[in-house]
Amino acid sequence: MASAAEILTPRATEGALSPESVVVRFAGDSGDGMQLTGGQFTLSTALAGNDLATFPDFPAEIRAPQGTLFGVSAFQINFGSSDITTAGDAPDVLVAMNPAALKTNVKDLKPGGLIIADTGEFTKRNLEKAKYEVSPLEDGSLGQWRVLSFDISQLTMDSVKPFGLGNKEALRCKNMWTLGLALWMFDRSREPIIAWLKAKFAKAPELAEANIAALNAGHAYGETAEIGAEGITLPQYSLAAAPQPQGLYRTITGADSIAYGLVAGAQLAQLPMFYGGYPITPASAVLHSLSKLKEFGVTTFQAEDEIAAIASAIGASYAGQLGVTCSSGPGIALKGEAMGLAIMTELPLVIVNVQRGGPSTGLPTKTEQSDLYQAVYGRNGDAPLPVIAARSPADAFECAIEACRIATQYMTPVILLSDGYIANAAEPWKVPDVSSFAPFPVAFMEQAQEGGLMPYARDEKLKRPWIKPGTPGLMHRIGGIEKAQNSGHIDYSPANHQAMTDIRRNKVAGVANSIPDQTVEQGAAGGKLAVVGWGSTFGPIHQAVKRARAKGQDVSHIHIRHIWPMPNNLGDLLKSYDKILVPEMNTGQLKTVLRDQYLVDARPLNKTSGQPFRIAEIEAAIEELLK
């Protein structure tokens, strides 16, 4: 994912305004470079000052057979001159690089939307792979949309012919030609992309020049092609910059945001950080980001498996560092036993779960929220731990800091929930002033208490002391077998186990005393309907409630960051509404927790398609409940 950084100063917003926001989807074969095209278009859009949200959508196969329906990769971006919180419901523009891309994506396009298609790929063989009997560009089946079709493949080869590339290498520049056309359509500068190409191909300048030539050719085509097929004019849009507070901005993905937040949290705790991980989609990007941050006291370790990854992180915490591990649902399941060890030993540990569709291997590259039960309940024995959920890529930064704070201040493992949508999506992020975050430095025990060492003695938070191994005079037992109160010796007695179980439970429950009360994002604290969400459903819920309130409907939006324990005021807040709707990308997990904890009649709105909620889906559910 490309990044853009800009000092945003007050700017004039005069001039021609087209729509307030536009949704564009680039779709093609996995080898067509759609993610790169979308990422670079995002870069130029961010530098233009628009607010934006993106949604990369790609297959799990490393390289599916070329031209097939299950090999289609897509990148959607919603950008505009107003507040953008989702990647958009339906695209206004679909760029389809082959028949399979058209077939799998055209059903999502708005009526009257624009299709840009590469006729060079609509060959008999490719049409057969996409299950088309005849070309949809010729049979009238696309009549409800505007269609602009031209031979992008040939135009690309013509543009790079002076550089002596073979056909295969020349066609790899096709995504840059397409990007050039998109940059013209939306009045974007080519300069950042040209600079990026020169840096990327610094060791092969002929490839840089070929790609730049393709980029310029696509841009020039937009300038000169006045009339498309059947008299359709190739449009050009102009969107003003979005109003934003003055400051330093950059685009950020959820994976990068989590990585930076973990580093910031470790710095605020004044600890070095150790990350033990194992590759898994879509969580691996966090390891990739952290591996570039060694100068901040970060050690990254790719273990041989998920169990070794979390065990190494627990070992680091025992040694006096902040242990961190990250995975997705299948890997989190494998880490379950070791989580219990961290709970029993009462060591700080941050566990990041970038959720994906399940169960088992499930949908490796598709998003879901189906691991909430796993996070809250998914360990043997009574083994509670705090759970936090990020709502967006930018929000993941603060959530990671919060996870570090709770882990170190309460000597407990903490789970931070993200998902595939948050991890891969990007949005503008105002880089925060680090001095605005309150430090929470850790104090290690250096000498025994009066009367002798008590490694499981408690403070007012029920936190036990953190003792670095090798500290003179502080040798103590640690492990997974039940501990005696205070002394930490092995103790199987019924009364001791009851007491220790209660202490561990009460310590985690006490975290609620150091978190903010639950707020209402939109609407009043009480009324006819509250739409309650968590995680990446924030954007579509926010927009759906905004539209409903614009119609005069009595509806509010509540979004929960602290999933366990929940804010102290949440029960009373929920009971102040007549009805509660809980949209989730699962079969109703938060809904069940809310019913269990507060005895409220929470109604589910569930989706497990691997795709994010659309605004319209939540809006329709609001209408239905308010009838």
Side-chain angles (χ1 to χ4, degrees), residues 43-180:
L43 170 77
S44 64
T45 299
L47 289 172
N50 293 126
D51 198 10
L52 63 93
T54 70
F55 176 47
D57 190 17
F58 42 87
E61 292 78 13
I62 294 174
R63 182 59 62 86
Q66 190 171 4
T68 57
L69 294 170
F70 51 88
V72 173
S73 177
F75 186 102
Q76 182 163 308
I77 177 170
N78 181 12
F79 60 99
S81 54
S82 59
D83 183 37
I84 302 293
T85 60
T86 79
D89 276 13
D92 300 284
V93 179
L94 170 63
V95 180
M97 304 300 286
N98 63 13
L102 179 65
K103 188 162 194 176
T104 56
N105 290 279
V106 71
K107 62 184 181 298
D108 296 329
L109 190 63
K110 287 180 182 176
L114 176 65
I115 298 170
I116 298 176
D118 177 12
T119 58
E121 290 293 326
F122 279 69
T123 62
K124 184 175 184 296
R125 179 171 174 77
N126 282 347
L127 289 168
E128 289 173 352
K129 288 180 181 179
K131 311 300 182 186
Y132 279 121
E133 294 183 5
V134 296
S135 173
L137 302 178
E138 300 170 358
D139 66 358
S141 61
L142 304 177
Q144 62 179 302
W145 300 288
R146 296 175 294 149
V147 180
L148 281 171
S149 55
F150 36 85
D151 196 341
I152 295 175
S153 298
Q154 186 61 53
L155 289 166
T156 301
M157 288 193 291
D158 291 344
S159 68
V160 302
K161 190 174 182 180
F163 301 94
L165 302 181
N167 283 354
K168 186 176 181 181
E169 288 76 16
L171 287 174
R172 285 178 178 166
C173 301
K174 190 165 59 172
N175 62 335
M176 286 296 111
W177 194 100
T178 306
L179 178 59

Side-chain angles (χ1 to χ4, degrees), residues 183-249:
L183 293 177
W184 175 84
M185 285 180 62
F186 297 99
D187 195 22
R188 299 281 178 262
S189 171
R190 285 165 284 165
E191 293 309 314
I193 315 302
I194 291 172
W196 175 81
L197 286 168
K198 288 180 177 179
K200 180 178 176 62
F201 295 109
K203 295 182 180 179
E206 69 282 359
L207 292 179
E209 293 304 319
N211 278 279
I212 291 168
L215 181 81
N216 290 335
H219 194 276
Y221 188 89
E223 291 177 324
T224 58
E226 296 180 358
I227 301 294
E230 300 178 3
I232 299 173
T233 303
L234 189 64
Q236 188 173 32
Y237 300 82
S238 179
L239 284 81
Q244 296 282 5
Q246 186 173 343
L248 173 64
Y249 285 79

Side-chain angles (χ1 to χ4, degrees), residues 160-461:
V160 302
K161 190 174 182 180
F163 301 94
L165 302 181
N167 283 354
K168 186 176 181 181
E169 288 76 16
L171 287 174
R172 285 178 178 166
C173 301
K174 190 165 59 172
N175 62 335
M176 286 296 111
W177 194 100
T178 306
L179 178 59
L181 179 65
L183 293 177
W184 175 84
M185 285 180 62
F186 297 99
D187 195 22
R188 299 281 178 262
S189 171
R190 285 165 284 165
E191 293 309 314
I193 315 302
I194 291 172
W196 175 81
L197 286 168
K198 288 180 177 179
K200 180 178 176 62
F201 295 109
K203 295 182 180 179
E206 69 282 359
L207 292 179
E209 293 304 319
N211 278 279
I212 291 168
L215 181 81
N216 290 335
H219 194 276
Y221 188 89
E223 291 177 324
T224 58
E226 296 180 358
I227 301 294
E230 300 178 3
I232 299 173
T233 303
L234 189 64
Q236 188 173 32
Y237 300 82
S238 179
L239 284 81
Q244 296 282 5
Q246 186 173 343
L248 173 64
Y249 285 79
R250 59 157 291 170
T251 55
I252 196 165
T253 65
D256 283 343
S257 184
I258 288 172
Y260 299 154
L262 290 170
V263 172
Q267 296 282 315
L268 291 168
Q270 298 179 8
L271 291 172
M273 190 181 90
F274 177 91
Y275 179 96
Y278 181 76
I280 184 170
T281 301
S284 299
V286 177
L287 170 59
H288 300 161
S289 295
L290 284 171
S291 66
K292 304 170 186 176
L293 302 173
K294 296 177 182 178
E295 67 269 29
F296 297 105
V298 178
T299 300
T300 53
F301 169 59
Q302 181 174 310
E304 65 269 27
D305 56 44
E306 296 282 8
I307 298 171
I310 188 172
S312 66
I314 292 173
S317 289
Y318 173 60
Q321 298 193 19
L322 177 59
V324 179
T325 191
C326 176
S327 191
S328 296
I332 296 296
L334 289 168
K335 296 178 191 290
E337 181 184 2
M339 286 186 214
L341 175 62
I343 290 168
M344 180 64 87
T345 56
E346 300 186 54
L347 287 168
L349 179 70
V350 177
I351 304 149
V352 181
N353 182 355
V354 186
Q355 299 166 96
R356 71 189 206 186
S360 186
T361 308
L363 305 173
T365 62
K366 307 302 179 184
T367 194
E368 205 163 274
Q369 292 181 299
S370 52
D371 295 348
L372 186 143
Y373 284 163
Q374 183 188 46
V376 175
Y377 305 120
R379 292 159 295 281
N380 67 295
D382 281 292
L385 53 72
V387 181
I388 301 168
R391 64 172 62 174
S392 68
D395 183 58
F397 177 81
E398 291 190 14
C399 287
I401 292 176
E402 177 71 345
C404 295
R405 182 191 71 82
I406 293 173
T408 56
Q409 295 301 295
Y410 289 85
M411 292 290 285
T412 179
V414 177
I415 289 180
L416 170 58
L417 293 174
S418 175
D419 61 38
Y421 174 75
I422 290 174
N424 295 321
E427 66 180 0
W429 177 53
K430 185 180 179 184
V431 180
D433 178 0
V434 291
S435 65
S436 65
F437 293 96
F440 39 88
V442 166
F444 293 95
M445 177 178 276
E446 297 182 352
Q447 61 183 22
Q449 305 98 325
E450 290 185 17
L453 175 63
M454 291 293 171
Y456 282 81
R458 309 285 166 174
D459 65 7
E460 69 281 357
K461 295 178 181 176

